[in-house]
Amino acid sequence: MAELLRHLSARDLAPAPRGGEAWNVIEQPSQSFWWDAWRRLRQNRMAMAGLVTIVILAAAAVFGPALSPYTYDYQQLDLHDQPPSAAHWFGTDMLGRDLFTRVLFGARISLAVGILASLVALGIGVIYGAVAGFYGGQVDNVMMRIVDVIYGLPFLLYVILLMVVLGPGLQNVFLALGAVYWTGMARIVRAEILSLKEREFVMAARTLGVPPRRLLLRHLIPNAVGPIIVTLTLLVPEAIFSEAFLSYLGLGVRAPIASWGVLVADGYKAIRAAPWEVIFPALFISITMLAFGFLGDGLRDALDPRMRNR
């Protein structure tokens, strides 16, 4: 700073004449909130590494199985439990199926479960939390006591009970996870709405006669989108891990469909003779959870208005 001041003259510090061309020059273009958030997110190396990892995993899940010479259910019984090689990069499982293809196909199932279950939780949690925070009073008290009852017991216990009632299957996994994971989203949205509804722009909208429904949908919820996105990002790995745990218990997707949890459950049976059958799907689960965790932390910092000028 001192070095910069030495090179400045009195002419550089003189105010621009009113009415001249220099008066209308904008030295630095204004940036929108989302552009500034993206700029700060790009400066976070761990968050960008997580984002790139997620994109690569998604691309591999979509296009990888189609490019593989094997299908996920193709059996070669004479090549069972083969270690990694040039023909089978991740080795084969107990039925001679190519583990690399099954891991990529499992990425489809696990990522789909994580994203769709989080979207279900988004739809339920945002509406529920926004209504509770906006109306407050007795409505808020009753609605949040219901959330406290659900939140008081471990999530996986509810999910396991729902899966026992609904039965195993991919569609039931979506329903079970979405029916439980919305409570955390509802709490965060409620807290944001309680804070936002006391702001001046809400008071001005009420003074102008804006209907409550329009005020909630057009003003309050859009201003709470930052915490909503961060929470949604952190829900995805939690749902993926829950699906893997359910599949490990035999309550997830059914064979021959393979998710990462199914692969871990199958590979655990031969962990001593063929440890690669557990290592590779477990490694992909770990990488995915870390990637979403880093991205969620980066988004939380990037979307925080208090860090806008840093």
Side-chain angles (χ1 to χ4, degrees):
M1 188 58 146
E3 186 68 23
L4 177 63
L5 292 176
R6 285 197 208 96
H7 295 285
L8 294 177
S9 62
R11 182 178 180 183
D12 295 326
L13 300 177
R18 186 179 294 273
E21 292 184 2
W23 183 262
N24 296 322
V25 173
I26 299 176
E27 295 295 337
Q28 183 177 1
S30 60
Q31 294 181 350
S32 65
F33 172 77
W34 293 106
W35 177 257
D36 185 66
W38 169 244
R39 178 185 61 81
R40 284 185 281 123
L41 181 64
R42 286 183 300 175
Q43 296 174 352
N44 191 326
R45 295 183 179 179
M46 298 303 294
M48 292 304 298
L51 178 60
V52 171
T53 302
I54 293 170
V55 171
I56 293 175
L57 285 173
V62 173
F63 302 108
L67 300 177
S68 174
Y70 309 99
T71 59
Y72 72 92
D73 56 351
Y74 178 67
Q75 300 181 10
Q76 297 172 291
L77 297 178
D78 56 330
L79 297 177
H80 67 90
D81 296 329
Q82 294 293 312
S85 62
H88 303 280
W89 292 356
F90 289 177
T92 60
D93 63 5
M94 64 185 69
L95 296 178
R97 294 172 295 193
D98 182 65
L99 192 58
F100 178 73
T101 305
R102 288 179 65 79
V103 168
L104 293 182
F105 188 85
R108 290 184 180 180
I109 305 300
S110 296
L111 290 176
V113 168
I115 293 173
L116 293 180
S118 299
L119 291 177
V120 172
L122 173 70
I124 299 175
V126 169
I127 296 175
Y128 194 95
V131 171
F134 181 74
Y135 289 100
Q138 193 64 27
V139 174
D140 179 38
N141 190 34
V142 172
M143 294 179 70
M144 294 314 295
R145 294 299 75 77
I146 296 174
V147 172
D148 290 340
V149 171
I150 300 175
Y151 206 81
L153 293 176
F155 284 162
L156 285 177
L157 179 59
Y158 284 115
V159 174
I160 290 173
L161 291 175
L162 287 173
M163 290 303 300
V164 170
V165 174
L166 298 174
L170 185 58
Q171 183 178 2
N172 293 336
V173 171
F174 293 147
L175 295 176
L177 293 178
V180 174
Y181 275 63
W182 60 270
T183 54
M185 178 71 75
R187 282 186 157 194
I188 291 175
V189 173
R190 170 186 174 270
E192 286 295 317
I193 297 299
L194 286 174
S195 174
L196 289 171
K197 74 176 185 178
E198 303 299 331
R199 302 284 181 87
E200 289 80 3
F201 72 91
V202 177
M203 298 179 184
R206 284 176 170 169
T207 304
L208 294 174
V210 176
R213 181 179 178 182
R214 181 181 178 85
L215 179 62
L216 185 62
L217 297 178
R218 298 293 298 274
H219 297 277
L220 290 174
I221 292 179
N223 279 279
V225 70
I228 291 173
I229 292 176
V230 174
T231 306
L232 181 66
T233 305
L234 297 177
L235 277 178
V236 174
E238 190 175 354
I240 290 175
F241 181 79
S242 299
E243 183 276 330
F245 181 71
L246 290 172
S247 297
Y248 182 81
L249 296 178
L251 298 174
V253 297
R254 295 178 176 179
I257 297 177
S259 70
W260 287 337
V262 172
L263 295 178
V264 171
D266 292 342
Y268 182 76
K269 302 173 184 177
I271 188 171
R272 292 182 180 271
W276 56 86
E277 296 181 21
V278 175
I279 291 175
F280 287 113
L283 181 63
F284 272 74
I285 293 175
S286 302
I287 291 174
T288 304
M289 295 188 68
L290 287 174
F292 275 102
F294 290 146
L295 179 59
D297 290 340
L299 285 173
R300 180 172 53 195
D301 295 338
L303 296 174
D304 189 350
R306 293 172 295 182
M307 301 184 67
R308 186 177 176 87
N309 296 324
R310 295 187 182 183

